Amino acid sequence: MSSRSYIVRVIVLTGAGVSAESGIPTFRGKDGYWRNLDPAKLATPEAFAHDPKLVWEWYGERRQRIRNAQPNPAHKAIARLAQCANEFLLVTQNVDDLHARAGVPNEKMVQIHGDIFVTRCSCCDFSDVGNGGSAALTALRRDRPEPPTRGQLRLIGPTSAQNERLPCCPKCSAPMRPGVVWFGEQLPWKEVQRVENYLDRGACNVAIVAGTTATFGYIVDWALQASHGGELIEVNPEETPLSTFATRIMREPAAIALPRLVDEIINS
Ligand code: APR
């Protein structure tokens, strides 16, 4: 990092807009998921209780789309800043793994809305990181159950085609669900603590907010707390509730603006 010693602490807050140029739809933007789909039917605990198959199908499709996607220059620029900044934390609302695949280490990243590739029990604390559940879901589609190995997810329910079976917990047999935070649910406490501890250690010299409508109050609060006395840079083609507080606004796509901005920060 350059001689401008005050650029030592950085926080970056991201949303779906950062993954848009990797082909992952946003939620509220043009062609966003919530423009065509009802979140109450797909992204609430009630929806899962009512129709777990529908919910799993949607998350299965999203997982596949993310597997087929690649990190874009915005993800890569953020990973570079994570390497160069003296202190750095990325707080992402994205449940995809594109920040991690671009090289942001886990210890410098908080996925505050969870990880789509985690499959966890809807009742107990069992969770299966990685491709958990996909094998079971794939077996579903082949309609030929795989014998579960120890600790592997078992399928529950009848076998007929239209009542496809769903992964259940090897510990308590309850239905397994995607490891994301749904509407009406609490944020993961440990992850909130990580953000708060980082912010408690002092304001940041640069706070970047990219690709989010800043719909949730905690995102606005963390951005304002982090940028107290420092720079708040918004990267978003559209206005958001944070725009009035920003010290700098880049109304451009993140994959264009962020590589340039990070260059500037690192070389200044
Ligand atoms: N570069 C930068 N920003 C972009 C780009 C782009 N290429 N394309 C779109 N945007 C901006 C849009 O202008 C919009 O402000 O990204 C934002 C996307 O907003 P949302 O769809 O609301 O996504 P996000 O803010 O991440 O949503 C927050 O809501 O639905 C829940 O849990 C879900 O994590 C999600 C949360």
Side-chain angles (χ1 to χ4, degrees):
M1 200 110 194
S2 74
S3 59
R4 271 206 324 201
S5 60
Y6 76 90
I7 303 190
V8 290
R9 299 195 80 229
V10 175
I11 193 167
V12 179
L13 298 117
T14 65
V18 166
S19 293
E21 291 154 281
S22 296
I24 311 294
T26 65
F27 295 93
R28 298 169 188 81
K30 192 173 124 330
D31 306 326
Y33 280 125
W34 302 148
R35 291 285 178 109
N36 314 307
L37 301 169
D38 179 357
K41 292 207 172 63
L42 292 167
T44 63
E46 296 75 20
F48 185 70
H50 176 69
D51 191 344
K53 177 175 158 285
L54 177 70
V55 171
W56 263 121
E57 272 176 4
W58 187 54
Y59 280 90
E61 281 158 24
R62 289 180 62 192
R63 282 179 172 182
Q64 201 46 50
R65 190 190 277 254
I66 294 164
R67 285 195 197 92
N68 299 338
Q70 293 302 324
N72 66 52
H75 297 108
K76 294 174 184 160
I78 292 168
R80 194 164 155 241
L81 190 53
Q83 252 174 349
C84 297
N86 304 87
E87 290 187 50
F88 175 95
L89 187 69
L90 167 65
V91 181
T92 186
Q93 298 165 87
N94 299 347
V95 295
D96 63 48
D97 62 352
L98 298 176
H99 280 303
R101 282 159 56 192
V104 179
N106 284 344
E107 65 276 11
K108 293 188 177 181
M109 175 167 62
V110 168
Q111 284 193 282
I112 201 66
H113 292 165
D115 177 344
I116 198 169
F117 291 108
V118 168
T119 301
R120 67 178 176 82
C121 179
S122 54
C123 286
C124 75
D125 61 358
F126 177 83
S127 81
D128 189 7
V129 180
N131 248 343
S134 302
L137 291 175
T138 319
L140 278 174
R141 294 204 181 79
R142 276 202 308 278
D143 216 19
R144 188 173 52 73
E146 306 285 341
T149 55
R150 218 181 83 68
Q152 194 192 13
L153 304 183
R154 279 182 301 110
L155 303 178
I156 54 173
T159 57
S160 66
Q162 68 272 19
N163 274 336
E164 289 173 7
R165 295 174 294 173
L166 298 166
C168 81
C169 178
K171 265 174 79 177
C172 74
S173 299
M176 296 288 284
R177 52 164 286 176
V180 300
V181 179
W182 282 328
F183 289 99
E185 293 189 316
Q186 295 287 327
L187 295 178
W189 187 78
K190 282 207 193 94
E191 299 308 305
V192 171
Q193 276 317 103
R194 288 182 60 207
V195 180
E196 312 259 334
N197 291 347
Y198 184 79
L199 294 177
D200 288 348
R201 290 206 301 277
C204 298
N205 306 89
V206 178
I208 300 171
V209 183
T212 180
T213 44
T215 303
F216 300 113
Y218 45 86
I219 297 297
V220 173
D221 294 348
W222 288 334
L224 296 181
Q225 187 185 345
S227 60
H228 191 64
E231 291 183 62
L232 175 59
I233 305 175
E234 179 175 73
V235 178
N236 194 322
E238 290 173 19
E239 182 125 351
T240 79
L242 277 167
S243 303
T244 44
F245 303 98
T247 55
R248 180 171 173 190
I249 290 179
M250 305 178 84
R251 290 269 172 261
E252 299 167 73
I256 309 275
L258 279 171
R260 203 174 67 243
L261 175 61
V262 168
D263 258 356
E264 225 182 85
I265 292 172
I266 291 176
N267 301 321
S268 63

